[in-house]
Amino acid sequence: MPTLRSSSQSHSSSSPSIVSSSPQRTVGGAQKALSASPSASVSLPCEEKDSNLASEGASPSLSGDEGRDFEDSLKRSVKKRRAKRPHKTTPVAKHPKKGSQITRQNGQKKLELPSCDLFDAVKAAKSDMQSLVDEWLENYKQDEDTGFLELINFFIQSCGCKGTVTPEMFKKMSNSEIIRHLTEQFNEDSGDYPLTASGPSWKKFQGSFCEFVRTLVCQCQYSLLYDGFPMDNLISLLTGLSDSQVRAFRHTSTLAAMKLMTSLVKVALQLSLHKDNNQRQYEAERNKGPEQRAPERLESLLEKRKELQEHQEEIEGMMNAIFRGVFVHRYRDILPEIRAICIEEIGCWMQSYSTSFLTDSYLKYIGWTLHDKNRDVRLTCLKALQRLYSNQGLTARLELFTSRFKERMVSMVMDREYDVAVEAVRLLILILKNMEGVLTSADCESIYPVVYASHRALAAAAGEFLYWKLFYPEFEMRARGGRERHRSPHAQKTFFHLLLYFFMESELHDHAAYLVDSLWDCAGPHLKDWESLTSLLLEKDQNLSDVQENTLIEILVSSARQAVEGHPPVGRISGRKGLSAKERKVQADDKVKLTEHLIPLLPQLLAKFSADAEKVAPLLQLLNYFDLSIYCTRRLEKHLELLLQQLQDVVVKHTEPPVLEAGAQALYLLCKPEFTFFTRVDFARSQLVDLLTDRFQQELEELLQSSFIDEDEAYSLAATLKRLSAFYNAHDLTRWELYDPCYRLLRKAVDTGEVPHQVILPALTLVYFSVLWTLTHISRSGGSQKQLLSLKDRMVAVCELCQNCLSDVDLVIQEQAFILLSDLLLIFSPQMIAGGRDFLRPLIFLPEATLQSELASFLMDHVFLQSGDLGSGQTQDDHMQIEQLHQRRRLLAGFCKLLLYGILELDAASDVFKHYNKFYNDYGDIIKETLTRARQIDRSHCSRILLLSLKQLYTELLQERGPQGLSELPAFMEMRDLARRFALSFGPQQLQNRDIMVKLHKEGIKFSLSELSPAGSSDVPPNLVFLELLSEFSPRLFQQDKQLLLSYLEKCLQRVPQTPGCPWGPVTTYRRSLTPVESTAEASPQGHSHSKRRRIEGPSKHQGAGQEESLQLNSVPPTPTLTSTAVKNKQPLGVLGEAKEEEGLESEFTHSRLLSGTQRPRFSGAQYFQTPRNPSGTGLDNKLTRLSLMEEDEEELESLDESSEAWRDTKKHHGSHSSLSENGLDLLDTTELNIEDF
């Protein structure tokens, strides 16, 4: 466990000074600077991180001895610094400042403090900052003390403090005393302060505040900056505030100090440039001949150099004071916003004044913070490093840092926060560009897989890295004579060869579409070079393998889709909502370019690869991205004829569903009446369908007449039916009258079983599409009564066929019949007359009870299967298992839709709900959505269905295992988990569910006592254990309803014979769930909810995560006693100290504050410290324990969902005092993090 030590013994050796050659510089108010860091501040010592980083020390903590030396140097130089301040004769302002008043007291003039004009002006963010600062400077020159107090009070009020620093306080009190006094006046009722407050009035405050600090230094750089009094005292005050445990003080003062440091760095840089110019002028003057040399000029240059040197020492001393007094402590502050401010500003210092700050002594702070737990801090580190690595002139100074922290930067590519990972990849791109040979092959290979990430920004960044690493050195255009030559075709083909090589050799993914999308932003022009792509595919001497040809075709189709549609592939998150007008214009131009190039070449590609189904299907998809009107406008009808011919040949050759679907879709795109070539395409489609229909009729007659079916004949008939089915899905083939022959074929298959299974499947699909196309015609134009009745008869006949196929021996036919039957029942349900289509009422069809029973039985037999029932004794391929899971989910979704639309009885949902817990990973989302929709339909009926599900499971287990030891079986434990999940599904709306829950409990009690033991027997009733399941619903009851249910239970038990004095266990458990817990109020006098009390008292429920939780939470150091400066009341601090000294509880208190996963003591707050509890809940004891409770808020919310008792006690304590963490941000906290936690 880390030990505590005073902040005066930390942070000295590792913080480098700005100039090591000059003596240590002091701040003007040295005594205040020494007292500004109260000994109560907390820091944790840190072990040495890297002994090789810097010779002056690699530990982020400073030794106590060197820290005292620094303080002694401050004391020694006080006289020197104060000598620069004018004699302290306070001049009276000629014109009193606006808002100030001169009053007389005892015959003397007294200047009252003005109102906070600075703060109001900065808050309004409307006035010019330069004018505002100039006005303050003018007032300061008139009266130094009043002007400086106005500046101090501006920073105090910017912290959100209502107190002010008076002249008496400034003269008589040290900085630490002033800060303690202000802390007592701080408003702790809310955690908001100007930097964090919400609302339009505070929206621009931080920007205005930073601009004011920058302008203040800029306007003072030739006057007050070297005065010694205002800046030194301001730095002293900000240093003291930055060490406060009040979060608002620490946050605001750190921001002000860091912005002040940034402005001082710019001044120091200007001084350095002036010194260099002065030196050059002096050397030039001295090198002149004796006659031309001007001694006065040399003397003035020497005086100027001396003045610049003094000014530079002044500035460097201020920067040293801020760096050592603020940055070294706050870069590891517990508040992530403060840590981010420090890292962002040190990055600015390194970038603007690299000669002084871009050293390993400063870089190590950024390197250590790369391990920060907070996302924003890590992000700030990466962006700061990007600014450094983007400057090639600075990379030579980053070699040691890169070698030390390269492994961490590479590992951040896998950061759990996507935006951090994106910035990490961009940083590595800069390293790759500007530092040759730093990234090894192993480093690059760890980045390559990210091009297939689901997050598009991350994948695009990795694609850019891949582009610069593999592709750019080989083919990118080179500059010659200041002009760039065009890319050669050979270079473009080289690009695609490299792309092929990477995709095939890496073996990271099966779909090139994701690789194309990742490279699109950086290599879009190369990927849109469709001329080179098609030439590679059509040239005969390329010697491409089959896999390479498939990959090139996929790249061609993917690039076409990306150029025309602009959205990423399926499953990749884009985050973009829309395209700009310029992007839409580019898409339209690319679509025209793609169409003009591929219209002549697509028939050639289809002809070359017509025999390969894997190549033909994606090539036919290219028509989706064509501007088909170009066939007419550019007079390319001859290419359309060639395309139609190739399309017909492809359909006749292939029977694979992807090829047939792509061909039908391509023909559908061309068959649109708005095109002038519609008649030509429609004629080609009719020819193709006529050919297929004639072949089908001929083959069908042979099959119906022959007694023996040859395999070749069955295959030919199945192939023809597959082609017709694919086209019937996209085209209206009603005029070819395919329903009757297909129905005769299916009727024979059902009656005799002599039809091959491969023929039944497409025939079922054909009759299904025939019914739907007929319904479409009737819905559009209306139909006669005869047409409606004919369609109804056909639909019923198809349903009967599908019902008969549910018992077929072939699983594929069973599943297809179930899907078609579910769709037909849903389409012809009472919902079809909605929208003013009442004329379709005769078509409504509701299934009979037998059909409903068969559907439910099929679902149980084919969907809810255990893992052992799927493999048939052999290990299945992962892809096959995923496909089977998708098919089962499709079956379940179809059944659930029938339930929700009222086609099936809603009670049948119990067969689905009872598998909710066991199959949660596979079907949890579907069952949950069904449960939610069923509750919206009828809440009372839904609750009865949930109870029915539990009854069915309990009865099945009872019949299988018997009543003895039932509650100890694992299956019963699963039932309890299911009951708990059902109870949580009701949500927190107790009043809305009150009657429903009471009825549920009564029905459950009746069921548990429905079957009694034989007369004269004292055995437990067989269903009595069901009460333990019912107890999971008890937290959803009101207290009054619990009393009524207890009475109802006692009345029911009076009719059940039992042995006196020997209560049954399930009854006792159920009674306890209905009995109010009186000890809760006694154990929680401060109003803690029961869930929080359980979280503090007991061990973690998830024991497996205990160690990890301890490691995460222990990063927050414990708050020591008697260290807070935020004390409102005068008594509690002393009472607290006396109580702790008397009782010796310091070690227990420290232990109880450590946020680990171990068991915590029961006492907390006022009970623990033996001090009176503040009625408002904002006492010191409340503040000291709030930090630990804040870390537990997330886990308490989780336990609220998991614990069955949480709802009860949350409702019980709804009107009690708020918990310790409800007051927002705590203002009293420990201020520093251990660097090891990064």
Side-chain angles (χ1 to χ4, degrees):
M1 183 177 71
T3 58
L4 299 173
R5 69 178 181 184
S6 173
S7 62
S8 63
Q9 296 179 347
S10 61
H11 302 292
S12 70
S13 64
S14 70
S15 59
S17 59
I18 305 299
V19 176
S20 59
S21 61
S22 62
Q24 291 285 1
R25 188 199 173 281
T26 179
V27 293
Q31 298 297 334
K32 295 180 181 180
L34 294 177
S35 59
S37 301
S39 60
S41 78
V42 181
S43 63
L44 294 180
C46 310
E47 295 181 4
E48 190 167 308
K49 286 294 179 182
D50 183 15
S51 60
N52 297 325
L53 239 178
S55 61
E56 64 270 29
S59 171
S61 63
L62 300 172
S63 66
D65 294 338
E66 295 189 8
R68 286 193 292 272
D69 292 341
F70 174 66
E71 293 170 355
D72 292 340
S73 67
L74 296 182
K75 294 179 181 179
R76 289 194 298 268
S77 57
V78 171
K79 296 181 180 179
K80 176 183 176 183
R81 298 287 298 132
R82 286 190 174 177
K84 295 189 177 184
R85 184 182 177 184
H87 295 291
K88 194 169 185 180
T89 57
T90 306
V92 180
K94 297 180 180 179
H95 302 284
K97 180 176 170 62
K98 180 181 178 182
S100 64
Q101 296 178 356
I102 298 179
T103 60
R104 292 186 177 272
Q105 184 176 1
N106 298 328
Q108 296 180 354
K109 291 183 179 181
K110 180 181 179 181
L111 186 65
E112 294 185 354
L113 288 178
S115 59
C116 292
D117 295 337
L118 284 178
F119 178 78
D120 295 336
V122 171
K123 178 183 175 183
K126 294 180 180 178
S127 60
D128 182 22
M129 286 298 167
Q130 184 173 348
S131 302
L132 184 65
V133 172
D134 289 342
E135 182 182 353
W136 175 83
L137 284 173
E138 185 66 26
N139 293 324
Y140 175 82
K141 293 175 182 178
Q142 294 176 2
D143 191 330
E144 290 186 3
D145 288 343
T146 304
F148 184 67
L149 285 178
E150 182 184 6
L151 184 64
I152 289 177
N153 286 318
F154 162 73
F155 285 105
I156 296 300
Q157 190 163 0
S158 298
C159 297
C161 181
K162 295 182 178 179
T164 57
V165 180
T166 63
E168 292 77 10
M169 293 171 57
F170 182 70
K171 293 177 182 179
K172 299 178 181 180
M173 300 172 64
S174 65
N175 277 357
S176 60
E177 293 172 342
I178 292 175
I179 294 173
R180 179 178 291 273
H181 178 76
L182 293 174
T183 303
E184 294 174 357
Q185 301 179 12
F186 202 94
N187 178 20
E188 300 178 18
D189 296 336
S190 173
D192 289 336
Y193 46 95
L195 289 183
T196 60
S198 58
S201 60
W202 302 106
K203 186 177 181 180
K204 299 180 180 179
F205 178 78
Q206 182 170 346
S208 300
F209 180 79
C210 298
E211 179 65 18
F212 174 81
V213 175
R214 185 196 68 79
T215 309
L216 178 65
V217 176
C218 181
Q219 295 300 104
C220 296
Q221 62 178 324
Y222 301 112
S223 56
L224 296 182
L225 194 59
Y226 311 106
D227 181 17
F229 170 68
M231 282 299 167
D232 290 348
N233 282 277
L234 178 60
I235 292 173
S236 176
L237 176 69
L238 293 178
T239 303
L241 289 173
S242 69
D243 204 30
S244 172
Q245 288 187 330
V246 179
R247 186 171 298 187
F249 280 157
R250 206 169 66 253
H251 187 184
T252 309
S253 61
T254 303
L255 176 63
M258 293 297 100
K259 292 298 180 181
L260 183 63
M261 177 78 167
T262 302
S263 300
L264 291 175
V265 168
K266 294 180 180 178
V267 174
L269 179 60
Q270 292 179 1
L271 288 174
S272 178
L273 295 177
H274 291 329
K275 281 185 60 179
D276 294 340
N277 291 335
N278 177 271
Q279 182 66 25
R280 286 194 297 268
Q281 292 174 2
Y282 178 80
E283 294 293 338
E285 189 68 26
R286 194 179 62 174
N287 292 334
K288 291 180 179 179
E291 297 116 4
Q292 299 177 351
R293 184 183 307 164
E296 298 82 3
R297 173 69 172 167
L298 288 175
E299 185 177 354
S300 63
L301 288 174
L302 285 176
E303 290 293 331
K304 184 65 174 177
R305 182 200 300 180
K306 183 178 179 182
E307 180 184 357
L308 290 174
Q309 181 65 30
E310 290 180 357
H311 287 177
Q312 189 174 31
E313 291 178 1
E314 296 273 341
I315 298 298
E316 288 168 352
M318 295 179 194
M319 292 192 294
N320 274 325
I322 295 176
F323 187 83
R324 295 192 173 204
V326 180
F327 179 87
V328 171
H329 296 267
R330 299 280 69 81
Y331 88 97
R332 58 187 190 132
D333 192 277
I334 192 174
L335 194 65
E337 289 86 350
I338 296 178
R339 303 200 299 272
I341 290 171
C342 295
I343 297 302
E344 181 180 5
E345 296 307 315
I346 197 176
C348 295
W349 309 338
M350 294 175 182
Q351 186 181 12
S352 59
Y353 199 3
S354 59
T355 55
S356 294
F357 286 96
L358 192 57
T359 62
D360 299 322
S361 302
Y362 293 99
L363 283 167
K364 63 186 178 184
Y365 294 106
I366 297 182
W368 287 331
T369 318
L370 286 172
H371 298 267
D372 197 281
K373 293 182 179 180
N374 184 267
R375 155 193 173 277
D376 293 329
V377 180
R378 298 196 303 274
L379 203 61
T380 304
C381 291
L382 292 171
K383 290 183 177 179
L385 290 175
Q386 286 176 12
R387 292 192 293 268
L388 300 177
Y389 280 100
S390 60
N391 189 345
Q392 196 167 8
L394 303 179
T395 54
R397 303 183 184 182
L398 295 168
E399 291 181 356
L400 181 60
F401 173 83
T402 307
S403 63
R404 170 64 180 83
F405 293 101
K406 182 186 70 172
E407 182 179 355
R408 172 58 184 163
M409 290 187 285
V410 172
S411 67
M412 292 181 76
V413 174
M414 299 300 175
D415 196 280
R416 63 181 180 180
E417 301 292 343
Y418 283 125
D419 48 357
V420 176
V422 170
E423 298 301 329
V425 176
R426 290 174 180 169
L427 175 61
L428 294 173
I429 292 173
L430 294 174
I431 295 176
L432 178 67
K433 289 181 180 180
N434 298 327
M435 299 184 72
E436 185 177 356
V438 172
L439 295 178
T440 63
S441 299
D443 297 332
C444 298
E445 289 173 0
S446 64
I447 304 173
Y448 292 157
V450 186
V451 296
Y452 299 107
S454 60
H455 192 269
R456 191 185 186 280
L458 178 58
E464 185 179 357
F465 180 89
L466 176 66
Y467 173 83
W468 287 102
K469 177 62 179 176
L470 294 183
F471 303 140
Y472 180 82
E474 297 293 335
F475 65 88
E476 185 64 17
M477 55 183 136
R478 306 298 182 183
R480 287 187 178 179
R483 296 183 179 181
E484 295 179 346
R485 61 184 177 87
H486 295 286
R487 300 182 184 89
S488 65
H490 177 72
Q492 286 300 107
K493 292 180 181 179
T494 303
F495 169 79
F496 289 112
H497 280 294
L498 290 172
L499 192 62
L500 277 177
Y501 175 80
F502 172 78
F503 179 76
M504 297 178 61
E505 293 297 325
S506 61
E507 297 181 353
L508 297 172
H509 208 277
D510 295 333
H511 301 288
Y514 296 90
L515 179 59
V516 170
D517 181 60
S518 300
L519 292 169
W520 191 257
D521 294 341
C522 58
H526 302 290
L527 292 169
K528 288 190 290 187
D529 186 9
W530 296 300
E531 292 84 355
S532 299
L533 256 176
T534 51
S535 64
L536 279 175
L537 289 170
L538 292 174
E539 288 180 6
K540 297 181 180 179
D541 57 348
Q542 290 297 324
N543 297 323
L544 296 175
S545 65
D546 185 66
V547 178
Q548 289 177 328
E549 289 177 344
N550 290 337
T551 305
L552 278 178
I553 291 175
E554 188 176 359
I555 291 173
L556 172 63
V557 176
S558 300
S559 63
R561 180 179 60 248
Q562 195 80 18
V564 174
E565 297 181 352
H567 58 74
V570 177
R572 177 164 283 180
I573 305 170
S574 173
R576 297 192 60 181
K577 296 183 179 180
L579 300 176
S580 63
K582 182 178 179 181
E583 290 173 332
R584 288 193 295 270
K585 177 67 167 55
V586 172
Q587 282 188 358
D589 295 341
D590 288 340
K591 188 173 185 178
V592 173
K593 177 183 176 183
L594 173 73
T595 306
E596 291 177 347
H597 175 70
L598 286 181
I599 279 180
L601 298 180
L602 183 57
Q604 300 178 31
L605 292 170
L606 291 174
K608 180 177 181 179
F609 302 110
S610 61
D612 195 332
E614 293 184 7
K615 299 181 179 64
V616 169
L619 286 174
L620 290 173
Q621 294 176 6
L622 286 171
L623 282 174
N624 292 291
Y625 317 115
F626 279 14
D627 184 0
L628 297 176
S629 61
I630 292 181
Y631 276 111
C632 310
T633 58
R634 305 296 169 85
R635 302 194 178 191
L636 301 175
E637 289 83 357
K638 61 178 182 179
H639 299 293
L640 179 62
E641 292 289 345
L642 295 174
L643 176 63
L644 293 174
Q645 182 179 355
Q646 292 298 328
L647 183 60
Q648 182 175 352
D649 293 341
V650 167
V651 172
V652 172
K653 285 181 181 179
H654 296 279
T655 60
E656 294 81 0
V659 178
L660 297 177
E661 291 174 5
Q665 178 66 18
L667 200 57
Y668 172 78
L669 293 173
L670 295 170
C671 288
K672 291 186 177 180
E674 60 265 24
F675 294 140
T676 57
F677 53 79
F678 168 71
T679 54
R680 186 176 306 175
V681 178
D682 184 55
F683 177 74
R685 177 180 61 179
S686 300
Q687 279 186 323
L688 179 59
V689 176
D690 287 339
L691 174 65
L692 296 176
T693 304
D694 294 341
R695 185 181 299 179
F696 166 63
Q697 295 287 357
Q698 180 181 357
E699 293 171 346
L700 177 63
E701 293 299 328
E702 295 177 357
L703 185 142
L704 294 177
Q705 294 177 2
S706 62
S707 58
F708 175 76
I709 302 176
D710 184 67
E711 290 185 4
D712 294 337
E713 296 176 356
Y715 175 81
S716 178
L717 178 58
T720 305
L721 287 173
K722 288 179 182 179
R723 297 184 182 104
L724 288 172
S725 177
F727 273 80
Y728 216 160
N729 187 17
H731 304 268
D732 183 12
L733 307 184
T734 305
R735 59 192 176 100
W736 278 273
E737 297 181 355
L738 297 174
Y739 175 83
D740 290 332
C742 290
Y743 180 77
R744 284 191 297 148
L745 178 63
L746 292 172
R747 190 78 265 173
K748 179 179 180 179
V750 170
D751 295 340
T752 64
E754 297 177 354
V755 178
H757 292 164
Q758 56 185 340
V759 175
I760 297 177
L761 199 62
L764 273 175
T765 309
L766 274 172
V767 295
Y768 169 75
F769 286 138
S770 176
V771 171
L772 294 189
W773 276 110
T774 306
L775 176 62
T776 302
H777 287 297
I778 294 177
S779 300
R780 289 176 179 174
S781 58
S784 62
Q785 189 70 16
K786 181 178 179 181
Q787 290 176 328
L788 292 175
L789 294 177
S790 175
L791 177 59
K792 178 70 174 292
D793 293 340
R794 287 190 174 187
M795 188 272 300
V796 173
V798 173
C799 289
E800 291 178 353
L801 287 174
C802 292
Q803 183 177 359
N804 292 327
C805 290
L806 289 178
S807 57
D808 196 276
V809 295
D810 189 83
L811 178 61
V812 179
I813 293 178
Q814 293 178 3
E815 293 178 348
Q816 183 68 16
F818 183 88
I819 293 173
L820 298 179
L821 185 57
S822 301
D823 290 344
L824 286 174
L825 292 177
L826 187 62
I827 294 170
F828 288 88
S829 67
Q831 307 291 333
M832 71 184 308
I833 63 174
R837 296 184 296 178
D838 194 69
F839 64 94
L840 297 177
R841 186 177 296 275
L843 297 178
I844 295 177
F845 176 75
L846 294 176
E848 299 179 352
T850 55
L851 179 55
Q852 296 187 32
S853 177
E854 286 190 38
L855 290 173
S857 300
F858 179 86
L859 192 76
M860 297 303 105
D861 295 339
H862 295 82
V863 174
F864 297 108
L865 302 174
Q866 298 293 339
S867 57
D869 301 333
L870 300 176
S872 302
Q874 296 179 357
T875 303
Q876 291 184 317
D877 183 68
D878 292 340
H879 181 73
M880 184 63 66
Q881 290 182 359
I882 294 174
E883 291 296 330
Q884 291 179 357
L885 177 60
H886 283 312
Q887 182 67 8
R888 294 196 299 272
R889 286 173 58 86
R890 187 181 178 188
L891 297 175
L892 178 60
F895 185 82
C896 291
K897 285 190 288 185
L898 295 179
L899 293 171
L900 296 177
Y901 280 93
I903 301 166
L904 302 181
E905 293 293 336
L906 198 56
D907 288 339
S910 62
D911 293 330
V912 177
F913 294 160
K914 67 183 181 182
H915 297 96
Y916 186 22
N917 206 47
K918 184 179 295 185
F919 293 89
Y920 185 80
N921 292 333
D922 294 339
Y923 318 120
D925 54 339
I926 299 176
I927 300 177
K928 182 179 180 180
E929 184 66 19
T930 305
L931 179 58
T932 303
R933 298 293 182 90
R935 184 173 286 112
Q936 294 174 357
I937 295 172
D938 191 339
R939 300 181 68 88
S940 178
H941 194 186
C942 182
S943 65
R944 292 197 299 269
I945 295 173
L946 295 180
L947 186 63
L948 177 61
S949 301
L950 294 174
K951 290 179 181 178
Q952 292 175 352
L953 287 175
Y954 181 83
T955 304
E956 294 173 2
L957 184 62
L958 184 65
Q959 293 176 353
E960 181 180 354
R961 295 298 185 91
Q964 300 298 328
L966 197 66
S967 60
E968 300 176 357
L969 296 175
F972 187 80
M973 294 296 103
E974 292 180 2
M975 275 192 282
R976 290 202 66 161
D977 292 339
L978 178 63
R980 185 178 299 111
R981 194 179 290 274
F982 283 165
L984 289 173
S985 68
F986 282 93
Q989 299 87 4
Q990 284 184 290
L991 185 61
Q992 190 176 5
N993 297 322
R994 182 174 184 178
D995 296 338
I996 296 174
M997 296 306 302
V998 171
K999 292 179 182 178
L1000 185 145
H1001 277 268
K1002 286 186 177 181
E1003 292 295 328
I1005 293 173
K1006 290 179 182 179
F1007 175 75
S1008 62
L1009 302 175
S1010 59
E1011 296 184 16
L1012 303 180
S1013 302
S1017 174
S1018 60
D1019 294 340
V1020 178
N1023 293 343
L1024 194 66
V1025 185
F1026 189 80
L1027 289 176
E1028 295 189 15
L1029 302 179
L1030 202 61
S1031 64
E1032 299 294 340
F1033 295 89
S1034 297
R1036 304 298 181 192
L1037 293 168
F1038 281 98
Q1039 197 60 46
Q1040 302 91 322
D1041 298 334
K1042 291 181 180 180
Q1043 298 293 338
L1044 294 176
L1045 287 172
L1046 275 174
S1047 303
Y1048 180 77
L1049 176 65
E1050 298 301 333
K1051 290 180 182 179
C1052 294
L1053 288 175
Q1054 290 177 2
R1055 298 191 293 267
V1056 179
Q1058 57 179 320
T1059 303
C1062 296
W1064 291 320
V1067 175
T1068 303
T1069 302
Y1070 186 61
R1071 279 175 179 162
R1072 189 181 299 115
S1073 70
L1074 297 177
T1075 303
V1077 182
E1078 298 177 357
S1079 60
T1080 302
E1082 299 175 0
S1084 304
Q1086 296 182 0
H1088 294 289
S1089 66
H1090 185 67
S1091 61
K1092 291 189 177 183
R1093 184 176 62 82
R1094 288 180 56 198
R1095 179 74 181 96
I1096 295 175
E1097 290 179 358
S1100 175
K1101 181 178 179 181
H1102 304 281
Q1103 297 293 338
Q1107 184 178 2
E1108 179 182 356
E1109 178 187 6
S1110 176
L1111 290 175
Q1112 292 176 353
L1113 298 181
N1114 276 334
S1115 64
V1116 181
T1119 305
T1121 59
L1122 303 177
T1123 61
S1124 174
T1125 59
V1127 182
K1128 279 188 172 181
N1129 302 324
K1130 296 181 179 180
Q1131 182 182 1
L1133 184 63
V1135 174
L1136 175 62
E1138 294 173 4
K1140 291 183 64 60
E1141 289 179 3
E1142 292 175 1
E1143 299 183 13
L1145 295 178
E1146 182 175 356
S1147 60
E1148 289 84 356
F1149 170 72
T1150 304
H1151 178 69
S1152 66
R1153 296 281 70 80
L1154 288 175
L1155 304 181
S1156 62
T1158 58
Q1159 185 171 354
R1160 299 180 180 272
R1162 292 178 180 269
F1163 38 81
S1164 62
Q1167 283 184 322
Y1168 181 73
F1169 293 109
Q1170 306 295 325
T1171 57
R1173 181 174 181 270
N1174 192 332
S1176 65
T1178 59
L1180 178 63
D1181 50 334
N1182 195 348
K1183 291 291 186 293
L1184 292 174
T1185 55
R1186 192 185 306 166
L1187 177 63
S1188 61
L1189 292 177
M1190 283 176 59
E1191 299 293 331
E1192 296 171 2
D1193 283 347
E1194 183 177 356
E1195 295 181 26
E1196 287 165 5
L1197 292 175
E1198 182 180 354
S1199 65
L1200 183 65
D1201 292 336
E1202 296 178 352
S1203 172
S1204 62
E1205 297 178 359
W1207 294 106
R1208 174 187 62 205
D1209 293 309
T1210 302
K1211 188 68 179 179
K1212 179 177 180 181
H1213 297 293
H1214 181 71
S1216 63
H1217 294 292
S1218 61
S1219 64
L1220 296 179
S1221 61
E1222 291 178 359
N1223 289 330
L1225 293 171
D1226 75 338
L1227 300 177
L1228 296 175
D1229 54 18
T1230 53
T1231 60
E1232 296 183 2
L1233 288 176
N1234 193 340
I1235 196 68
E1236 292 179 353
D1237 296 323
F1238 292 160

